[in-house]
Amino acid sequence: MARNHSYDYIIIGGGVAGLTLASRLSKTLPHTDEKQILLLEAGTDPSNTESIQTAMGGYTARDSEHAYALSTVANPHLNGRTTLVHVGKALGGSAAINGGAWTRGPRSDYDYWAELVGDDAWSYDNLLPYFRKTERVVMASNDSRDDIHHGYDGDLTIVPIRANWPKRKYPLRETVQKAWEEVGVKYISDGNRGDQNGLMEMVEVWVEGRRQLPGKFYDLSRVEVRDLCTVQRVTFELQAPNQDPKANGVDLAGGEHIVANKEVIISAGVYHTPQVLMLSGIGDSALLSKHGIATVVPNVEVGKNLKDHLGVGLTWKLKHPEKGLAIGSPLLTDPSYFAGWPMDFIEFNQVEDPGKLKSLVENPKDLEFLLREGASHMELVTVYAPMGQRLTGVDAAFDGSHITTLSICVATTSRGSVTIRSTNPDDPPIVDPNLNSTEADRYLLREALRRSSRVLLRTESGKSFVSHEVTPEGYAAITEDTTDEEMDKRIQEFGVSIDHAMGSCAMGRVVDSHCRVKGVTGLRVVDASVFPVPLACHLQAAVYATAERAAAWIVRGE
């Protein structure tokens, strides 16, 4: 079948943002015989890959053909290690490989975002309609409908863990909750209402153990989707003197040119969106010149401001695994227990002494960000399984006798970068997350590790089920009394990206508050790369909402 060479909208990237935009925009265009929205995806449809579809297989999805495994530059703040970061290379993007947690983050993150870019459209309350539009929340038997904060008719099914009871009521749930209560942490039945600090009920997007792929639940009947397509550059036409260049299409690797009548939208993700911009002549002029790329718009901020969450896992030996987690117990014999991640809660909180940050942070804006009321500094997770070498430095037996705690710095002040390696769009970008590079981040992660240890080793409930930490060879167990130097050594050796990258084309620096690329017309960026602040959450809820927000503007020509 002959292909069109002219479309109203060309969307680069078939991840969460790109698919949301494509589906929403397609419903607003007049019906014609020819499709007027083109979506270009470098990967393929993963819906027939079992390791992608199932929660059990999902543990290895990030290592599949449907993911980019990008090598980072050596990090001097992590013992000079070169690590891998992962993003989706599939129709569905990172929704095809992620862990499926659904957290929005705190109200204060979005309100700070709105203040930073001078546009109240990004405040939490003004984003609420777009969060709700995505959701189809499944209610537990005792839940009441909450139409102010949640949606019940959206495209994506949202499932609180308790809605799966009794099938997935884990044996350690009550004991873990009591341990947190003993250190003064409140239980929050719904952490997706703008206040997540406390012991938040886990919410996920797994449905009976199956992954929800946006390429399947969104209506794309009026969208032309091309997979295995790599974009070489966005093209521009010069307008009248003193007017900004206008994006008028794309060149594909191989030479095909496709015309965009209205807009080109880049939704290629945090690592590849800045690569597309640079290959198109938008970026640091000195860098572009080095690669023989003519500058269309000079902007040194393209690829800067990269932020990510750094985490460290601890492996714990259980005292009495035979009481619920060992071989022969329901946890390891009933498939329903692994119909999602084996966990009940996520704990978000601030450090107990925020004032200490004043002596560690030199940048006034970073200090303002960290000391906001309602901010979340850390995320702590208890997983009822060993998480392996990458996250903990320990390969514990998967026999029900071990669990893992993850300690994560989510209010990061470390900033990295993304840049191009060459003019070949198939060459991976150069990624420098620069994680663990600030005193504030190191302090927050040390405090997160101490908090994890305290809950399990200093409470009666914790001591009732945990025997000891199983440590990497040559390392002592982490306790509240572990010195900062010992903590830092563990973090430097075993800290890893939690694959929550954002901000490489930050709003206010690369795009305006309507996601329009500065210095040109007809070109937007819509994905997590535009986030101007590090959101304290798992990012997919925010990406869906951002795409819904942008789609409404695009439809109105704003």
Side-chain angles (χ1 to χ4, degrees), residues 394-409:
V394 173
D395 281 323
F398 201 97
D399 60 2
S401 62
H402 299 85
I403 63 172
T404 301
T405 56
L406 292 178
S407 302
I408 305 165
C409 171

Side-chain angles (χ1 to χ4, degrees), residues 227-483:
D227 62 5
L228 295 174
C229 276
T230 303
V231 171
Q232 176 66 51
R233 65 179 65 83
V234 177
T235 60
F236 299 90
E237 62 185 31
L238 296 178
Q239 303 189 93
N242 301 320
Q243 287 190 337
D244 292 333
K246 181 183 186 300
N248 64 359
V250 300
D251 287 340
L252 301 184
E256 181 183 358
H257 177 69
I258 310 172
V259 172
N261 300 315
K262 292 184 177 179
E263 287 196 23
V264 176
I265 305 161
I266 308 177
S267 299
V270 176
Y271 302 122
H272 293 94
T273 286
Q275 181 183 31
V276 173
L277 285 174
M278 292 177 198
L279 292 176
S280 305
I282 300 175
D284 183 341
S285 296
L287 173 69
L288 300 182
S289 177
K290 174 184 172 183
H291 291 285
I293 300 171
T295 299
V296 175
V297 175
N299 188 335
V300 297
E301 296 292 340
V302 175
K304 302 291 178 61
N305 205 45
L306 175 67
K307 298 172 289 288
D308 198 356
H309 296 157
L310 180 68
V312 178
L314 305 179
T315 301
W316 301 90
K317 181 73 167 63
L318 297 178
K319 277 185 177 178
H320 305 291
E322 70 279 0
K323 291 185 177 180
L325 296 181
I327 290 176
S329 73
L331 185 63
L332 296 182
T333 58
D334 185 344
S336 68
Y337 277 98
F338 287 97
W341 280 72
M343 54 187 287
D344 285 302
F345 311 109
I346 300 177
E347 199 265 351
F348 289 100
N349 234 308
Q350 294 188 358
V351 289
E352 293 182 358
D353 183 12
K356 187 170 181 179
L357 289 163
K358 293 179 181 179
S359 64
L360 301 177
V361 181
E362 295 181 2
N363 186 322
K365 295 300 291 184
D366 285 344
L367 187 60
E368 176 187 327
F369 171 75
L370 290 168
L371 297 184
R372 289 166 299 132
E373 184 178 355
S376 297
H377 293 152
M378 63 181 71
E379 174 185 353
L380 305 178
V381 179
T382 302
V383 183
Y384 306 134
M387 297 301 294
Q389 180 74 30
R390 187 184 81 90
L391 288 170
T392 70
V394 173
D395 281 323
F398 201 97
D399 60 2
S401 62
H402 299 85
I403 63 172
T404 301
T405 56
L406 292 178
S407 302
I408 305 165
C409 171
V410 293
T412 178
T413 56
S414 297
R415 293 174 177 85
S417 63
V418 181
T419 190
I420 54 174
R421 191 178 303 273
S422 73
T423 58
N424 182 350
D426 290 319
D427 279 350
I430 299 171
V431 179
D432 180 8
N434 198 34
L435 291 164
N436 204 41
S437 62
T438 67
E439 288 290 344
D441 285 13
R442 292 191 280 272
Y443 169 64
L444 294 179
L445 192 46
R446 288 195 299 263
E447 290 302 295
L449 286 165
R450 287 191 172 100
R451 193 177 185 86
S452 291
S453 173
R454 182 190 318 148
V455 170
L456 295 186
L457 298 180
R458 295 287 182 92
T459 65
E460 292 305 312
S461 296
K463 289 187 288 186
S464 73
F465 73 92
V466 164
S467 171
H468 61 276
E469 183 198 345
V470 182
T471 63
E473 185 176 352
Y475 287 83
I478 285 179
T479 71
E480 281 195 291
D481 301 320
T482 300
T483 66

Side-chain angles (χ1 to χ4, degrees), residues 9 26 35 76 90 124 140 194 212 222 224 282 347 437 458 475 488 534:
Y9 299 99
S26 72
K35 296 176 179 177
Y124 183 79
Q212 297 178 80
R222 300 181 62 202
E224 181 176 331
I282 300 175
E347 199 265 351
S437 62
R458 295 287 182 92
Y475 287 83
D488 286 341

Side-chain angles (χ1 to χ4, degrees), residues 147-162:
D147 291 290
I148 295 175
H149 295 97
H150 292 296
Y152 298 89
D153 303 305
D155 298 284
L156 181 66
T157 301
I158 310 299
V159 187
I161 283 288
R162 64 177 179 273

